[in-house]
Amino acid sequence: MRAGVVVAARPGVEDLAVRAEELGLHSFWVNDSPMVHGDPFVALSLCAKATSRIRLGIGVTSPALRSAPAAASGLASLNALAPGRIICGVGTGNTARRTLGMRPTTAARLEGFTVALQDLCAGRSTEYREGDRVRDIRFLHAGAHVNTTDPIEFVVAALLGPKAAAVAGRRGTGLISVGLLDPTAWHALHDTRRHAAQGAPRAPGSPTGSRADSYLITSLHLLDEDEDPHGDAARDATGHLVLSLLAFAADTAADTPAFVGQLGPEEREAVRRLLDRRGTTATAPDRHTKLYPDYLGRISPRDRDLVLPSLMNTLALVGTRDDLLARFATLEQAGVDELLIQPVVDPPTEMALLAKLLT
């Protein structure tokens, strides 16, 4: 299994990219959440100039954030700086939209966006729509300003729902998911993608022979001898993923109660405590401004009690070296090609640990 890293855009991110490349990691990704982190295209431009081998990923952009022409221009510009090293994750914009107080876009719009990006980034014309007006568009200065010759890898963000995996199958892309450590769930995603690919003939100009790898984003904590697997160190290393799930549950409790209904009593109580602690409610129109500050950043010690063992075990990899290697092998057998960690406590040290375990 390959290894990579996901970080937030901020000044100095290129230094982490250089270190990741030195460690032999395969890919370096930057989040695209405009109201939470810096801009990934700016960050990856710096990374592209500072590195020579490591693949560089946007994780992930969405038609609810950027128009297809603007996103394609950014991707093809990065591809000119780092030819053949660019990966573009696309999704419905779940987190990035919710941090604006808005809902994600639809799978249908996601698929249209993916088609347009694939076409434009390969130098083809594509259909572009604004309201009732539809026009064919293409890059007018390909070669001089952008790179549409070297391939860009595309992956679709999918959790447990089949719709995004079906988009990946029809468009010949890979998959990326967060905290999905259940091998059975990965088998289901791959089955959906495979069936969709078989059932949808490719239109002229659709990609053939493109990469279709699967990426899993999680967090990692190697236990010292006799260390508590749910102690402060483990909670600090994994808490950002746990709190991201609790924030999502708190944000959607009123309009998507089915998700909260899947949580156990202790987890629902943690959602309630998070809302109280942030000074908001599940129906407050401005709850997004209270729930998402410091999203996917290092958690405060006062929030360690919200990092429940049940959610740590669901979303993150915590264990001894042998435990972790066994989990890696199981995930690889389930079709995960690359493990991406999202380090927040000590990124250089956490990246070095991942490299030691997997490269």
Side-chain angles (χ1 to χ4, degrees):
M1 185 188 292
R2 302 188 310 256
V5 64
V6 184
V7 301
R10 59 167 62 93
V13 71
E14 68 273 21
D15 297 332
L16 284 178
V18 169
R19 183 57 182 146
E21 183 168 86
E22 292 172 344
L23 288 167
L25 300 186
H26 180 259
S27 65
F28 187 88
W29 299 65
V30 178
N31 296 322
D32 191 9
S33 296
M35 294 295 100
V36 183
H37 305 131
D39 186 84
F41 290 93
V42 173
L44 288 180
S45 296
L46 296 171
C47 297
K49 297 295 288 183
T51 61
S52 61
R53 177 198 58 80
I54 197 166
R55 295 178 67 82
L56 304 172
I58 300 282
V60 301
T61 195
S62 167
L65 297 176
R66 305 178 188 272
S67 70
S73 179
L75 291 166
S77 296
L78 285 174
N79 203 26
L81 296 174
R85 292 198 283 139
I86 304 304
I87 314 172
C88 177
V90 291
T92 57
N94 186 52
T95 296
R97 289 285 290 168
R98 292 190 184 281
T99 57
L100 305 176
M102 303 294 174
R103 292 191 178 188
T105 191
T106 64
R109 191 176 174 202
L110 168 63
E111 184 160 7
F113 181 67
T114 305
V115 171
L117 291 185
Q118 288 177 318
D119 284 342
L120 292 171
C121 289
R124 299 187 293 265
S125 296
T126 197
E127 183 181 274
Y128 178 64
R129 178 187 299 272
E130 288 188 7
D132 295 332
R133 177 170 290 192
V134 181
R135 295 290 185 269
D136 283 340
I137 62 171
R138 60 181 175 82
F139 280 115
L140 302 180
H141 296 285
H145 304 277
V146 297
N147 178 359
T148 59
T149 301
D150 293 289
I152 291 175
E153 179 183 356
F154 287 91
V155 294
V156 171
L159 292 175
L160 294 177
K163 291 183 178 179
V167 171
R170 287 190 293 270
R171 297 310 309 161
T173 77
L175 293 169
I176 186 168
S177 192
V178 180
L180 191 62
L181 300 178
D182 180 3
T184 301
W186 274 106
H187 284 302
L189 287 178
H190 289 139
D191 285 346
T192 299
R193 179 174 63 179
R194 184 166 51 252
H195 293 154
Q198 293 170 349
R202 296 206 181 280
S206 293
T208 57
S210 57
R211 298 174 67 102
D213 287 346
S214 295
Y215 298 83
L216 167 61
I217 303 172
T218 185
S219 56
L220 185 69
H221 182 69
L222 176 65
L223 294 174
D224 292 331
E225 186 176 356
D226 299 325
E227 181 183 351
D228 181 358
H230 303 124
D232 287 352
R235 290 178 190 239
D236 288 346
T238 63
H240 56 296
L241 289 184
V242 173
L243 286 185
S244 72
L245 184 144
L246 293 177
F248 173 78
D251 191 15
T252 62
D255 55 24
T256 315
F259 179 80
V260 177
Q262 296 175 10
L263 301 178
E266 186 182 16
E267 294 155 350
R268 290 196 295 272
E269 172 60 18
V271 172
R272 186 197 65 77
R273 294 206 313 273
L274 177 66
L275 285 165
D276 287 346
R277 196 166 295 178
R278 298 295 186 264
T280 189
T281 70
T283 57
D286 65 344
R287 61 186 181 275
H288 61 285
T289 65
K290 307 291 181 59
L291 289 171
Y292 293 107
D294 299 321
Y295 187 78
L296 292 179
R298 183 168 183 173
I299 67 167
S300 167
R302 66 188 284 268
D303 287 332
R304 284 177 180 149
D305 63 304
L306 298 175
V307 185
L308 304 180
S310 61
L311 295 178
M312 292 173 65
N313 297 339
T314 297
L315 299 171
L317 295 169
V318 176
T320 65
R321 182 180 185 278
D322 288 343
D323 293 336
L324 294 175
L325 292 177
R327 295 289 297 277
F328 296 161
T330 300
L331 289 166
E332 188 171 22
Q333 291 169 4
V336 176
D337 298 293
E338 186 161 341
L339 185 73
L340 307 173
I341 65 162
Q342 197 151 36
V344 297
V345 176
D346 183 356
T349 300
E350 293 174 74
M351 290 193 303
L353 170 61
L354 179 66
K356 185 177 180 179
L357 290 170
L358 277 180
T359 61

